[in-house]
Amino acid sequence: MAEYVNKQVIELNKVTEENRNRATRSVKTETHLSDGRTGVYRLAAVCFGVLCVLQVTLNISLRLAFCTGRVVEGSGMAVQTMRTVLKCPKGWRMLGSSCYFLSTERKTWEESKLDCLARGADLVIINSRQEQKLLYQLHGDADLLVWIGLTDSVNEGTWKWVDGTPLTTSYWKSGKPDHGGTNNKDCVEVNHRDNVLANWNVAPCNHMLHWICEKLQK
């Protein structure tokens, strides 16, 4: 009986040992597999991170290249625009945003108007105080009487510019314009000797004077 019990105990110990060994092998196998999967996951994460960095770098590079191209192109257009705006015909002078031509000869008001039209311009139309002052730069120190593009020849007392627009702001000399008698003073001259903001005078349109043409930049 004792021998039988001992055999059973020995058999039980063998079974227990085998189960323990199997369990150990199972744990090692699972651990190995787990470590392998973890390594794969880590490698995948690193690769994904690298791809993200490369994508961001590529996007930034493309955006910078695009923006740089736009800046260069825009700068070229701006330079070209400035060249176009600042270019005046030979013999003309840029003042403000327009080109002006001061004649060296004298003609009647009507002849002066036709001369300007032949040059693709008009007798000067003064639209602002600034332009009125700028014209003195064109005269310099010369003692000149010049025609401007203002007349009331169509309707006495109704002053209009050569483009048909009515007079709204004026710089008449004191006491002008006058309409007394039959002197036919229907055209306007500028006297450079007078005050810069009060130097318009009426004169007969057949007087022979210098004139100023104006060409607007487009």
mmCIF file of all heavy atoms in Angstrom, residues 91-131:
data_model
loop_
_atom_site.group_PDB
_atom_site.id
_atom_site.type_symbol
_atom_site.label_atom_id
_atom_site.label_comp_id
_atom_site.label_asym_id
_atom_site.label_seq_id
_atom_site.Cartn_x
_atom_site.Cartn_y
_atom_site.Cartn_z
ATOM 1 N N GLY A 91 10.241 115.846 -74.250
ATOM 2 C CA GLY A 91 9.876 117.258 -74.228
ATOM 3 C C GLY A 91 8.774 117.584 -73.243
ATOM 4 O O GLY A 91 8.427 118.752 -73.054
ATOM 5 N N TRP A 92 8.205 116.530 -72.592
ATOM 6 C CA TRP A 92 7.159 116.711 -71.595
ATOM 7 C C TRP A 92 7.780 116.526 -70.212
ATOM 8 O O TRP A 92 8.851 115.954 -70.064
ATOM 9 C CB TRP A 92 6.031 115.708 -71.783
ATOM 10 C CG TRP A 92 5.264 115.886 -73.064
ATOM 11 C CD1 TRP A 92 5.755 115.787 -74.328
ATOM 12 C CD2 TRP A 92 3.881 116.184 -73.184
ATOM 13 N NE1 TRP A 92 4.770 116.010 -75.247
ATOM 14 C CE2 TRP A 92 3.601 116.254 -74.578
ATOM 15 C CE3 TRP A 92 2.850 116.397 -72.284
ATOM 16 C CZ2 TRP A 92 2.335 116.529 -75.061
ATOM 17 C CZ3 TRP A 92 1.580 116.670 -72.772
ATOM 18 C CH2 TRP A 92 1.327 116.737 -74.140
ATOM 19 N N ARG A 93 7.040 116.997 -69.207
ATOM 20 C CA ARG A 93 7.545 116.882 -67.839
ATOM 21 C C ARG A 93 6.486 116.259 -66.943
ATOM 22 O O ARG A 93 5.308 116.620 -67.017
ATOM 23 C CB ARG A 93 7.934 118.259 -67.293
ATOM 24 C CG ARG A 93 8.522 118.209 -65.890
ATOM 25 C CD ARG A 93 9.017 119.554 -65.456
ATOM 26 N NE ARG A 93 9.490 119.533 -64.083
ATOM 27 C CZ ARG A 93 9.908 120.596 -63.410
ATOM 28 N NH1 ARG A 93 9.932 121.782 -64.008
ATOM 29 N NH2 ARG A 93 10.329 120.500 -62.161
ATOM 30 N N MET A 94 6.926 115.315 -66.124
ATOM 31 C CA MET A 94 6.032 114.671 -65.173
ATOM 32 C C MET A 94 5.871 115.534 -63.934
ATOM 33 O O MET A 94 6.843 115.919 -63.294
ATOM 34 C CB MET A 94 6.590 113.305 -64.767
ATOM 35 C CG MET A 94 5.913 112.670 -63.566
ATOM 36 S SD MET A 94 4.195 112.235 -63.854
ATOM 37 C CE MET A 94 4.394 110.855 -64.963
ATOM 38 N N LEU A 95 4.626 115.862 -63.617
ATOM 39 C CA LEU A 95 4.286 116.558 -62.373
ATOM 40 C C LEU A 95 3.083 115.836 -61.783
ATOM 41 O O LEU A 95 2.031 115.775 -62.422
ATOM 42 C CB LEU A 95 3.959 118.032 -62.611
ATOM 43 C CG LEU A 95 5.100 118.942 -63.082
ATOM 44 C CD1 LEU A 95 4.568 120.329 -63.431
ATOM 45 C CD2 LEU A 95 6.176 119.056 -62.016
ATOM 46 N N GLY A 96 3.237 115.327 -60.577
ATOM 47 C CA GLY A 96 2.137 114.556 -60.002
ATOM 48 C C GLY A 96 1.920 113.293 -60.813
ATOM 49 O O GLY A 96 2.839 112.525 -61.054
ATOM 50 N N SER A 97 0.685 113.081 -61.286
ATOM 51 C CA SER A 97 0.360 111.877 -62.051
ATOM 52 C C SER A 97 0.115 112.183 -63.522
ATOM 53 O O SER A 97 -0.430 111.353 -64.248
ATOM 54 C CB SER A 97 -0.888 111.213 -61.454
ATOM 55 O OG SER A 97 -1.994 112.103 -61.487
ATOM 56 N N SER A 98 0.501 113.358 -63.980
ATOM 57 C CA SER A 98 0.266 113.746 -65.371
ATOM 58 C C SER A 98 1.549 114.233 -66.024
ATOM 59 O O SER A 98 2.522 114.585 -65.354
ATOM 60 C CB SER A 98 -0.803 114.845 -65.458
ATOM 61 O OG SER A 98 -2.051 114.394 -64.987
ATOM 62 N N CYS A 99 1.518 114.264 -67.360
ATOM 63 C CA CYS A 99 2.615 114.816 -68.143
ATOM 64 C C CYS A 99 2.183 116.176 -68.689
ATOM 65 O O CYS A 99 1.051 116.330 -69.160
ATOM 66 C CB CYS A 99 2.967 113.886 -69.301
ATOM 67 S SG CYS A 99 3.585 112.276 -68.783
ATOM 68 N N TYR A 100 3.088 117.145 -68.640
ATOM 69 C CA TYR A 100 2.771 118.509 -69.076
ATOM 70 C C TYR A 100 3.788 118.967 -70.122
ATOM 71 O O TYR A 100 4.968 118.647 -70.046
ATOM 72 C CB TYR A 100 2.790 119.469 -67.894
ATOM 73 C CG TYR A 100 1.734 119.173 -66.852
ATOM 74 C CD1 TYR A 100 2.014 118.323 -65.773
ATOM 75 C CD2 TYR A 100 0.464 119.734 -66.932
ATOM 76 C CE1 TYR A 100 1.051 118.048 -64.823
ATOM 77 C CE2 TYR A 100 -0.504 119.455 -65.976
ATOM 78 C CZ TYR A 100 -0.205 118.616 -64.931
ATOM 79 O OH TYR A 100 -1.157 118.336 -63.984
ATOM 80 N N PHE A 101 3.260 119.729 -71.082
ATOM 81 C CA PHE A 101 4.098 120.297 -72.139
ATOM 82 C C PHE A 101 3.911 121.809 -72.152
ATOM 83 O O PHE A 101 2.796 122.311 -72.278
ATOM 84 C CB PHE A 101 3.691 119.717 -73.496
ATOM 85 C CG PHE A 101 4.366 120.368 -74.666
ATOM 86 C CD1 PHE A 101 5.664 120.030 -75.016
ATOM 87 C CD2 PHE A 101 3.699 121.339 -75.410
ATOM 88 C CE1 PHE A 101 6.290 120.638 -76.102
ATOM 89 C CE2 PHE A 101 4.314 121.950 -76.491
ATOM 90 C CZ PHE A 101 5.618 121.600 -76.829
ATOM 91 N N LEU A 102 5.000 122.533 -71.991
ATOM 92 C CA LEU A 102 4.979 123.995 -72.060
ATOM 93 C C LEU A 102 5.545 124.418 -73.408
ATOM 94 O O LEU A 102 6.680 124.079 -73.745
ATOM 95 C CB LEU A 102 5.810 124.591 -70.921
ATOM 96 C CG LEU A 102 5.968 126.109 -70.920
ATOM 97 C CD1 LEU A 102 4.623 126.803 -70.765
ATOM 98 C CD2 LEU A 102 6.923 126.543 -69.811
ATOM 99 N N SER A 103 4.733 125.142 -74.161
ATOM 100 C CA SER A 103 5.160 125.520 -75.507
ATOM 101 C C SER A 103 6.293 126.539 -75.463
ATOM 102 O O SER A 103 6.460 127.281 -74.501
ATOM 103 C CB SER A 103 3.979 126.113 -76.281
ATOM 104 O OG SER A 103 3.674 127.408 -75.786
ATOM 105 N N THR A 104 7.060 126.560 -76.550
ATOM 106 C CA THR A 104 8.123 127.558 -76.688
ATOM 107 C C THR A 104 7.727 128.645 -77.684
ATOM 108 O O THR A 104 8.452 129.624 -77.848
ATOM 109 C CB THR A 104 9.423 126.885 -77.169
ATOM 110 O OG1 THR A 104 9.163 126.192 -78.398
ATOM 111 C CG2 THR A 104 9.927 125.895 -76.132
ATOM 112 N N GLU A 105 6.593 128.466 -78.311
ATOM 113 C CA GLU A 105 6.086 129.467 -79.246
ATOM 114 C C GLU A 105 4.734 129.987 -78.761
ATOM 115 O O GLU A 105 4.210 129.520 -77.744
ATOM 116 C CB GLU A 105 5.956 128.865 -80.651
ATOM 117 C CG GLU A 105 5.096 127.611 -80.711
ATOM 118 C CD GLU A 105 5.066 127.010 -82.105
ATOM 119 O OE1 GLU A 105 5.142 127.789 -83.085
ATOM 120 O OE2 GLU A 105 4.939 125.786 -82.221
ATOM 121 N N ARG A 106 4.162 130.922 -79.487
ATOM 122 C CA ARG A 106 2.897 131.540 -79.085
ATOM 123 C C ARG A 106 1.841 131.305 -80.155
ATOM 124 O O ARG A 106 2.110 131.400 -81.352
ATOM 125 C CB ARG A 106 3.093 133.041 -78.849
ATOM 126 C CG ARG A 106 3.974 133.393 -77.674
ATOM 127 C CD ARG A 106 4.100 134.909 -77.540
ATOM 128 N NE ARG A 106 4.864 135.305 -76.371
ATOM 129 C CZ ARG A 106 6.183 135.399 -76.342
ATOM 130 N NH1 ARG A 106 6.898 135.103 -77.427
ATOM 131 N NH2 ARG A 106 6.804 135.757 -75.239
ATOM 132 N N LYS A 107 0.615 131.057 -79.691
ATOM 133 C CA LYS A 107 -0.517 130.874 -80.600
ATOM 134 C C LYS A 107 -1.782 131.402 -79.940
ATOM 135 O O LYS A 107 -1.792 131.717 -78.736
ATOM 136 C CB LYS A 107 -0.698 129.391 -80.947
ATOM 137 C CG LYS A 107 0.410 128.803 -81.810
ATOM 138 C CD LYS A 107 0.098 127.366 -82.199
ATOM 139 C CE LYS A 107 1.182 126.806 -83.115
ATOM 140 N NZ LYS A 107 0.892 125.424 -83.565
ATOM 141 N N THR A 108 -2.864 131.474 -80.726
ATOM 142 C CA THR A 108 -4.157 131.843 -80.154
ATOM 143 C C THR A 108 -4.656 130.694 -79.281
ATOM 144 O O THR A 108 -4.120 129.585 -79.318
ATOM 145 C CB THR A 108 -5.178 132.121 -81.263
ATOM 146 O OG1 THR A 108 -5.457 130.879 -81.955
ATOM 147 C CG2 THR A 108 -4.672 133.156 -82.255
ATOM 148 N N TRP A 109 -5.715 130.965 -78.518
ATOM 149 C CA TRP A 109 -6.264 129.920 -77.647
ATOM 150 C C TRP A 109 -6.723 128.717 -78.464
ATOM 151 O O TRP A 109 -6.425 127.573 -78.121
ATOM 152 C CB TRP A 109 -7.431 130.488 -76.831
ATOM 153 C CG TRP A 109 -7.947 129.556 -75.768
ATOM 154 C CD1 TRP A 109 -7.535 129.485 -74.485
ATOM 155 C CD2 TRP A 109 -8.983 128.558 -75.922
ATOM 156 N NE1 TRP A 109 -8.234 128.505 -73.808
ATOM 157 C CE2 TRP A 109 -9.130 127.919 -74.670
ATOM 158 C CE3 TRP A 109 -9.790 128.152 -76.983
ATOM 159 C CZ2 TRP A 109 -10.052 126.907 -74.449
ATOM 160 C CZ3 TRP A 109 -10.719 127.124 -76.773
ATOM 161 C CH2 TRP A 109 -10.839 126.512 -75.515
ATOM 162 N N GLU A 110 -7.459 128.965 -79.559
ATOM 163 C CA GLU A 110 -7.969 127.873 -80.389
ATOM 164 C C GLU A 110 -6.825 127.087 -81.033
ATOM 165 O O GLU A 110 -6.852 125.850 -81.082
ATOM 166 C CB GLU A 110 -8.897 128.420 -81.469
ATOM 167 C CG GLU A 110 -9.611 127.349 -82.286
ATOM 168 C CD GLU A 110 -10.582 126.505 -81.467
ATOM 169 O OE1 GLU A 110 -11.121 127.004 -80.456
ATOM 170 O OE2 GLU A 110 -10.801 125.326 -81.844
ATOM 171 N N GLU A 111 -5.822 127.770 -81.514
ATOM 172 C CA GLU A 111 -4.668 127.099 -82.108
ATOM 173 C C GLU A 111 -3.905 126.277 -81.060
ATOM 174 O O GLU A 111 -3.413 125.177 -81.352
ATOM 175 C CB GLU A 111 -3.733 128.132 -82.746
ATOM 176 C CG GLU A 111 -4.293 128.784 -84.006
ATOM 177 C CD GLU A 111 -3.431 129.942 -84.488
ATOM 178 O OE1 GLU A 111 -2.637 130.483 -83.665
ATOM 179 O OE2 GLU A 111 -3.556 130.314 -85.664
ATOM 180 N N SER A 112 -3.841 126.811 -79.865
ATOM 181 C CA SER A 112 -3.173 126.093 -78.765
ATOM 182 C C SER A 112 -3.941 124.819 -78.431
ATOM 183 O O SER A 112 -3.339 123.745 -78.220
ATOM 184 C CB SER A 112 -3.081 126.988 -77.535
ATOM 185 O OG SER A 112 -2.347 128.152 -77.806
ATOM 186 N N LYS A 113 -5.254 124.929 -78.419
ATOM 187 C CA LYS A 113 -6.095 123.765 -78.147
ATOM 188 C C LYS A 113 -5.875 122.679 -79.203
ATOM 189 O O LYS A 113 -5.719 121.497 -78.877
ATOM 190 C CB LYS A 113 -7.560 124.193 -78.129
ATOM 191 C CG LYS A 113 -8.560 123.048 -78.055
ATOM 192 C CD LYS A 113 -9.979 123.576 -78.192
ATOM 193 C CE LYS A 113 -10.981 122.446 -78.305
ATOM 194 N NZ LYS A 113 -12.358 122.960 -78.513
ATOM 195 N N LEU A 114 -5.828 123.086 -80.476
ATOM 196 C CA LEU A 114 -5.624 122.127 -81.565
ATOM 197 C C LEU A 114 -4.235 121.494 -81.496
ATOM 198 O O LEU A 114 -4.062 120.311 -81.806
ATOM 199 C CB LEU A 114 -5.825 122.818 -82.911
ATOM 200 C CG LEU A 114 -7.267 123.276 -83.206
ATOM 201 C CD1 LEU A 114 -7.332 124.057 -84.519
ATOM 202 C CD2 LEU A 114 -8.219 122.082 -83.234
ATOM 203 N N ASP A 115 -3.257 122.274 -81.094
ATOM 204 C CA ASP A 115 -1.900 121.736 -80.958
ATOM 205 C C ASP A 115 -1.871 120.630 -79.901
ATOM 206 O O ASP A 115 -1.246 119.587 -80.107
ATOM 207 C CB ASP A 115 -0.934 122.849 -80.576
ATOM 208 C CG ASP A 115 0.483 122.340 -80.388
ATOM 209 O OD1 ASP A 115 1.222 122.245 -81.391
ATOM 210 O OD2 ASP A 115 0.846 122.011 -79.231
ATOM 211 N N CYS A 116 -2.537 120.878 -78.780
ATOM 212 C CA CYS A 116 -2.576 119.859 -77.718
ATOM 213 C C CYS A 116 -3.290 118.601 -78.203
ATOM 214 O O CYS A 116 -2.835 117.470 -77.932
ATOM 215 C CB CYS A 116 -3.267 120.414 -76.478
ATOM 216 S SG CYS A 116 -2.337 121.684 -75.599
ATOM 217 N N LEU A 117 -4.395 118.765 -78.910
ATOM 218 C CA LEU A 117 -5.126 117.603 -79.424
ATOM 219 C C LEU A 117 -4.247 116.794 -80.370
ATOM 220 O O LEU A 117 -4.277 115.555 -80.361
ATOM 221 C CB LEU A 117 -6.392 118.066 -80.139
ATOM 222 C CG LEU A 117 -7.511 118.620 -79.247
ATOM 223 C CD1 LEU A 117 -8.657 119.183 -80.098
ATOM 224 C CD2 LEU A 117 -8.042 117.528 -78.307
ATOM 225 N N ALA A 118 -3.465 117.479 -81.183
ATOM 226 C CA ALA A 118 -2.564 116.786 -82.107
ATOM 227 C C ALA A 118 -1.498 115.995 -81.352
ATOM 228 O O ALA A 118 -0.949 115.020 -81.879
ATOM 229 C CB ALA A 118 -1.912 117.797 -83.038
ATOM 230 N N ARG A 119 -1.210 116.379 -80.142
ATOM 231 C CA ARG A 119 -0.224 115.679 -79.310
ATOM 232 C C ARG A 119 -0.874 114.599 -78.430
ATOM 233 O O ARG A 119 -0.232 114.024 -77.564
ATOM 234 C CB ARG A 119 0.510 116.679 -78.413
ATOM 235 C CG ARG A 119 1.299 117.741 -79.177
ATOM 236 C CD ARG A 119 1.859 118.788 -78.214
ATOM 237 N NE ARG A 119 2.478 119.904 -78.922
ATOM 238 C CZ ARG A 119 3.761 119.952 -79.309
ATOM 239 N NH1 ARG A 119 4.566 118.934 -79.021
ATOM 240 N NH2 ARG A 119 4.239 120.996 -79.955
ATOM 241 N N GLY A 120 -2.158 114.347 -78.650
ATOM 242 C CA GLY A 120 -2.872 113.360 -77.837
ATOM 243 C C GLY A 120 -3.167 113.861 -76.442
ATOM 244 O O GLY A 120 -3.231 113.077 -75.496
ATOM 245 N N ALA A 121 -3.356 115.175 -76.296
ATOM 246 C CA ALA A 121 -3.560 115.786 -74.977
ATOM 247 C C ALA A 121 -4.637 116.867 -75.076
ATOM 248 O O ALA A 121 -5.332 116.993 -76.092
ATOM 249 C CB ALA A 121 -2.247 116.371 -74.473
ATOM 250 N N ASP A 122 -4.789 117.623 -74.004
ATOM 251 C CA ASP A 122 -5.718 118.759 -73.946
ATOM 252 C C ASP A 122 -4.985 119.962 -73.387
ATOM 253 O O ASP A 122 -3.967 119.807 -72.686
ATOM 254 C CB ASP A 122 -6.918 118.454 -73.044
ATOM 255 C CG ASP A 122 -7.988 117.626 -73.742
ATOM 256 O OD1 ASP A 122 -8.245 117.877 -74.936
ATOM 257 O OD2 ASP A 122 -8.543 116.724 -73.089
ATOM 258 N N LEU A 123 -5.512 121.142 -73.672
ATOM 259 C CA LEU A 123 -5.064 122.296 -72.896
ATOM 260 C C LEU A 123 -5.287 121.969 -71.435
ATOM 261 O O LEU A 123 -6.300 121.357 -71.077
ATOM 262 C CB LEU A 123 -5.864 123.544 -73.287
ATOM 263 C CG LEU A 123 -5.317 124.394 -74.443
ATOM 264 C CD1 LEU A 123 -6.301 125.528 -74.763
ATOM 265 C CD2 LEU A 123 -3.952 124.971 -74.117
ATOM 266 N N VAL A 124 -4.373 122.350 -70.587
ATOM 267 C CA VAL A 124 -4.375 121.903 -69.204
ATOM 268 C C VAL A 124 -5.697 122.203 -68.499
ATOM 269 O O VAL A 124 -6.279 123.281 -68.654
ATOM 270 C CB VAL A 124 -3.201 122.533 -68.418
ATOM 271 C CG1 VAL A 124 -3.310 124.044 -68.352
ATOM 272 C CG2 VAL A 124 -3.100 121.945 -67.018
ATOM 273 N N ILE A 125 -6.174 121.219 -67.754
ATOM 274 C CA ILE A 125 -7.379 121.339 -66.921
ATOM 275 C C ILE A 125 -6.923 121.271 -65.476
ATOM 276 O O ILE A 125 -6.354 120.261 -65.038
ATOM 277 C CB ILE A 125 -8.372 120.200 -67.224
ATOM 278 C CG1 ILE A 125 -8.828 120.292 -68.681
ATOM 279 C CG2 ILE A 125 -9.566 120.259 -66.267
ATOM 280 C CD1 ILE A 125 -9.668 119.108 -69.121
ATOM 281 N N ILE A 126 -7.158 122.328 -64.735
ATOM 282 C CA ILE A 126 -6.668 122.417 -63.351
ATOM 283 C C ILE A 126 -7.779 121.986 -62.400
ATOM 284 O O ILE A 126 -8.800 122.669 -62.267
ATOM 285 C CB ILE A 126 -6.187 123.848 -63.039
ATOM 286 C CG1 ILE A 126 -5.069 124.235 -64.015
ATOM 287 C CG2 ILE A 126 -5.686 123.945 -61.597
ATOM 288 C CD1 ILE A 126 -4.626 125.675 -63.909
ATOM 289 N N ASN A 127 -7.564 120.872 -61.744
ATOM 290 C CA ASN A 127 -8.608 120.276 -60.901
ATOM 291 C C ASN A 127 -8.402 120.470 -59.407
ATOM 292 O O ASN A 127 -9.295 120.138 -58.621
ATOM 293 C CB ASN A 127 -8.704 118.770 -61.179
ATOM 294 C CG ASN A 127 -9.175 118.479 -62.586
ATOM 295 O OD1 ASN A 127 -10.135 119.065 -63.052
ATOM 296 N ND2 ASN A 127 -8.490 117.579 -63.275
ATOM 297 N N SER A 128 -7.239 120.972 -59.002
ATOM 298 C CA SER A 128 -6.982 121.049 -57.565
ATOM 299 C C SER A 128 -5.976 122.145 -57.251
ATOM 300 O O SER A 128 -5.235 122.614 -58.132
ATOM 301 C CB SER A 128 -6.458 119.706 -57.039
ATOM 302 O OG SER A 128 -5.179 119.435 -57.594
ATOM 303 N N ARG A 129 -5.938 122.514 -55.981
ATOM 304 C CA ARG A 129 -4.950 123.492 -55.509
ATOM 305 C C ARG A 129 -3.532 122.966 -55.728
ATOM 306 O O ARG A 129 -2.634 123.725 -56.102
ATOM 307 C CB ARG A 129 -5.197 123.763 -54.019
ATOM 308 C CG ARG A 129 -4.188 124.700 -53.363
ATOM 309 C CD ARG A 129 -4.431 124.770 -51.869
ATOM 310 N NE ARG A 129 -5.685 125.426 -51.568
ATOM 311 C CZ ARG A 129 -5.808 126.666 -51.081
ATOM 312 N NH1 ARG A 129 -4.724 127.383 -50.839
ATOM 313 N NH2 ARG A 129 -6.971 127.188 -50.821
ATOM 314 N N GLN A 130 -3.359 121.657 -55.515
ATOM 315 C CA GLN A 130 -2.037 121.072 -55.687
ATOM 316 C C GLN A 130 -1.567 121.214 -57.134
ATOM 317 O O GLN A 130 -0.419 121.573 -57.400
ATOM 318 C CB GLN A 130 -2.056 119.593 -55.293
ATOM 319 C CG GLN A 130 -0.695 118.910 -55.451
ATOM 320 C CD GLN A 130 -0.763 117.429 -55.150
ATOM 321 O OE1 GLN A 130 -1.834 116.841 -55.101
ATOM 322 N NE2 GLN A 130 0.391 116.813 -54.969
ATOM 323 N N GLU A 131 -2.466 120.932 -58.071
ATOM 324 C CA GLU A 131 -2.090 121.052 -59.479
ATOM 325 C C GLU A 131 -1.799 122.506 -59.846
ATOM 326 O O GLU A 131 -0.869 122.792 -60.599
ATOM 327 C CB GLU A 131 -3.190 120.493 -60.370
ATOM 328 C CG GLU A 131 -2.799 120.424 -61.837
ATOM 329 C CD GLU A 131 -3.834 119.720 -62.684
ATOM 330 O OE1 GLU A 131 -5.007 119.628 -62.248
ATOM 331 O OE2 GLU A 131 -3.492 119.274 -63.795
#
